[in-house]
Amino acid sequence: MKAIRIEGGQPLYIEAQEPGTDGVRIKVASSSICGSDLHMVNAGWAEGRILGHEFAGVTDDGTAVTVQPNFGCGKCHSCEQGYTAHCDEGTVYFGVFTDGGMAEYVRVPEAAVFPLPTGIQLADACLMEPLAVSAHGLNRARVTEKDRVLVVGAGPIGLAAAAILKSRGMTYDITARYEHQKQAAELLGGNTEPSGHYDVVVDAVGNTASIAEAIQHCKPMGRIAFVGTLWEDASIDMSFCSKEIELIAATTYRSVHPKGEFHEAGKALSAVPEIARALISHRFPLEAASEAFTTANNRASGAIKVAFEL
């Protein structure tokens, strides 16, 4: 089968064996590059791995699905509540700890399979996972329609948060570094000229500078939803304490569960056609692995979300 494997710090298009016989076989239709994929490659953590935790495809019986890429024992309290990322036995993460969806075929446990709602194109369904991440961040921060919200950063996760806010019928402001990000944010109804203080600030970047910006814009006793992953240590200045701000970390999501964020992600992607147009800036075949990763690594080039179509 066609696949992309990281070898010598580079994404290589290869011919690989199909995965074994355990689990549900999925013929992948779309798979996108996450910022964490780029960090793992650059840090040397992805050697020998087929990456891809944002993907969708079709099962052998013809069902269009996406995949919750982390799963646990299914029996502990965290798993029963849908928080498989916090499984007592340790979570398994497709495309991170084991081979993922940048390939023609992948096999996953049945519990990780999420049938796509009507109206979602398979080419766009790789967005379900990042949308669920952002929905989880907003839910963790207890965002309601009464809140004035700012999103710091108009990269893929920031725009995914914007998309969820739009699907909820909420107005919001958002900061954008590049012109193409500004255009994408405006397509999703965001105001790109922030002013004043906010009840909730969503930090979708994850570094010292973005934290400082979030603190600056957050009102006293307000909330910061931290959905940007820290890949290196960051510092927080004294104003965080003096303003009595609540900092709320969020990663992954409440998984395939009746109250899980994949349900909200599906509703949003189905109801708001602008989401795919705003987030997916480039599409490549697997054979163009090197070009795709080079594009994704250069935000200034116009890249937002780079996706593979199979």
Side-chain angles (χ1 to χ4, degrees):
M1 69 174 183
K2 300 176 181 179
I4 297 172
R5 178 179 293 147
I6 306 303
E7 296 182 7
Q10 298 296 322
L12 298 181
Y13 170 75
I14 62 168
E15 289 290 334
Q17 289 186 335
E18 278 197 38
T21 58
D22 293 337
V24 177
R25 189 177 82 149
I26 297 171
K27 187 178 189 307
V28 178
S30 64
S31 182
S32 51
I33 300 174
C34 177
S36 62
D37 295 326
L38 303 176
H39 282 287
M40 287 190 294
V41 172
N42 294 336
W45 299 344
E47 285 300 303
R49 178 74 65 231
I50 295 173
L51 293 176
H53 59 271
E54 304 174 353
F55 61 97
V58 180
T59 61
D60 286 343
D61 66 3
T63 303
V65 300
T66 188
V67 171
Q68 166 217 313
N70 61 48
F71 65 96
C73 69
K75 300 176 182 179
C76 69
H77 178 73
S78 293
C79 285
E80 288 178 348
Q81 295 300 309
Y83 298 114
T84 54
H86 304 301
C87 174
D88 289 350
E89 301 298 323
T91 188
V92 176
Y93 216 122
F94 277 101
V96 179
F97 305 133
T98 187
D99 286 344
M102 292 185 190
E104 272 190 285
Y105 295 95
V106 65
R107 283 186 180 270
V108 302
E110 186 175 357
V113 177
F114 187 89
L116 288 178
T118 301
I120 297 178
Q121 300 296 314
L122 275 169
D124 303 330
C126 54
L127 294 176
M128 286 279 288
E129 199 270 353
L131 286 169
V133 168
S134 288
H136 181 60
L138 296 175
N139 291 338
R140 286 271 295 146
R142 308 182 302 279
V143 173
T144 74
E145 66 278 359
K146 296 179 181 179
D147 289 318
R148 187 166 189 248
V149 180
L150 170 68
V151 179
V152 173
I157 289 296
L159 288 171
I164 295 295
L165 290 167
K166 179 177 175 61
S167 72
R168 293 181 181 184
M170 293 181 62
T171 60
Y172 63 93
D173 295 347
I174 183 169
T175 66
R177 182 177 182 184
Y178 301 110
E179 182 60 30
H180 68 279
Q181 293 177 335
K182 180 178 179 180
Q183 292 174 2
E186 291 173 345
L187 181 61
L188 293 171
N191 170 43
T192 55
E193 297 182 3
S195 62
H197 287 156
Y198 297 82
D199 301 290
V200 179
V201 180
V202 179
D203 183 340
V205 179
N207 58 36
T208 295
S210 66
I211 294 171
E213 186 174 3
I215 292 171
Q216 175 190 351
H217 285 292
C218 191
K219 75 175 188 179
M221 301 183 73
R223 310 185 298 283
I224 296 175
F226 199 78
V227 297
T229 299
L230 285 175
W231 291 93
E232 57 186 30
D233 292 346
S235 61
I236 297 176
D237 65 44
M238 185 178 178
S239 60
F240 171 77
C241 297
S242 62
K243 293 175 77 172
E244 296 188 275
I245 291 170
E246 183 180 358
L247 178 61
I248 304 165
T251 186
T252 66
Y253 23 72
R254 198 173 195 183
S255 308
V256 177
H257 182 277
K259 296 181 180 178
E261 279 92 11
F262 266 77
H263 291 276
E264 181 170 11
K267 290 178 182 178
L269 193 55
S270 177
V272 185
E274 295 88 352
I275 292 176
R277 297 205 303 272
L279 266 71
I280 299 180
S281 58
H282 296 77
R283 299 180 190 266
F284 292 95
L286 288 179
E287 290 87 343
S290 179
E291 183 181 358
F293 272 78
T294 297
T295 300
N297 262 307
N298 184 7
R299 298 295 182 199
S301 70
I304 296 176
K305 178 64 73 177
V306 176
F308 293 105
E309 286 192 83
L310 286 78

